[in-house]
Amino acid sequence: MISMRPIVLLFGLAAAWPLAAADYKVGERLPATQAKVNGYQEVMWDDLMPKDWDPMAAFKGIDLNRLSDKDPKATELLAKARAEWDKAPVEPGMNNKRVRMPGFAIPLERKGDLVTEFLLVPYFGACVHVPPPPSNQVVYVVSRQPVKDLRTMDTLWVSGVLTLQGGDSGMGTYAYRLQAERVEPYKMNKEKK
């Protein structure tokens, strides 16, 4: 499986996110169990990428550790990667699939303390603290029931029907849309560091 870790490091993501979610570091992902729960197939984020697609292709043969943020070559590489990532291929087998997936929320449509639309992203800080991940790693969620008090980077389990419907949210390009039937807090089973 292709790892997104080198990209996370390229964006200088070794530091912890400020107080909002002290349990997570930028780039950290939520573990899943790969179980079928209440009629939903639990999916991992890598399941949304075709097996033969390499998100790191734009960086082949380049030692990212040798580039500084101010290096014009780094800027050029990031622009090239962004163009490729915005048109990242989807996994056709995911269309109209009933899924349950963990992720970090980025509220989009808010009415008071209620949110009806949000992005779900695979790692902490995506689209907010760092550039968005590839479009096939961003899910646009429309919830049947508004979610109360949803904050940026809250951790969630979202269950519903996933479709291959992409677009631009203003916070990032997405390749999937999830009609959420259930939105639940993600409970983390990890020791405090």
Side-chain angles (χ1 to χ4, degrees):
M1 192 55 51
I2 304 296
S3 171
M4 294 294 294
R5 182 103 176 113
I7 287 301
V8 170
L9 293 175
L10 175 67
F11 293 125
L13 307 177
W17 185 264
L19 305 172
D23 289 331
Y24 299 99
K25 290 188 166 97
V26 176
E28 188 172 356
R29 291 176 175 243
L30 301 172
T33 60
Q34 290 290 330
K36 192 160 190 149
V37 179
N38 298 325
Y40 300 101
Q41 178 63 48
E42 190 170 303
V43 297
M44 300 293 289
W45 286 92
D46 288 345
D47 296 333
L48 302 182
M49 294 188 299
K51 305 296 180 236
D52 62 347
W53 183 68
D54 181 0
M56 300 302 293
F59 303 104
K60 289 283 187 228
I62 297 167
D63 184 357
L64 298 176
N65 293 324
R66 303 190 104 187
L67 297 176
S68 75
D69 290 344
K70 295 177 184 176
D71 188 325
K73 179 79 171 167
T75 303
E76 178 185 324
L77 283 170
L78 290 176
K80 180 179 176 184
R82 179 79 272 144
E84 291 300 314
W85 287 3
D86 283 349
K87 59 182 182 181
V90 295
E91 181 55 52
M94 288 292 162
N95 196 34
N96 292 314
K97 189 168 189 170
R98 291 177 54 79
V99 302
R100 177 178 190 252
M101 55 191 310
F104 295 89
I106 301 167
L108 297 173
E109 290 294 322
R110 184 181 300 276
K111 289 183 182 175
D113 63 352
L114 300 175
V115 173
T116 55
E117 298 177 20
F118 58 93
L119 295 181
L120 193 67
V121 294
Y123 53 84
F124 189 79
C127 300
V128 177
H129 187 60
V130 298
S135 61
N136 61 14
Q137 296 291 283
V138 180
V139 176
Y140 184 82
V141 179
V142 178
S143 182
R144 284 189 181 167
Q145 297 295 321
V147 181
K148 189 173 183 174
D149 298 324
L150 184 64
R151 297 169 305 162
T152 299
M153 291 292 118
D154 275 353
T155 55
L156 303 172
W157 281 108
V158 182
S159 302
V161 178
L162 189 68
T163 58
L164 311 179
Q165 184 178 353
D168 187 346
S169 70
M171 293 293 289
T173 302
Y174 58 92
Y176 294 95
R177 178 184 169 109
L178 180 59
Q179 183 67 48
E181 297 163 359
R182 294 182 66 137
V183 177
E184 306 165 276
Y186 178 92
K187 301 295 184 199
M188 184 171 70
N189 294 326
K190 106 178 197 178
E191 294 178 21
K192 299 254 185 200
K193 294 179 181 175

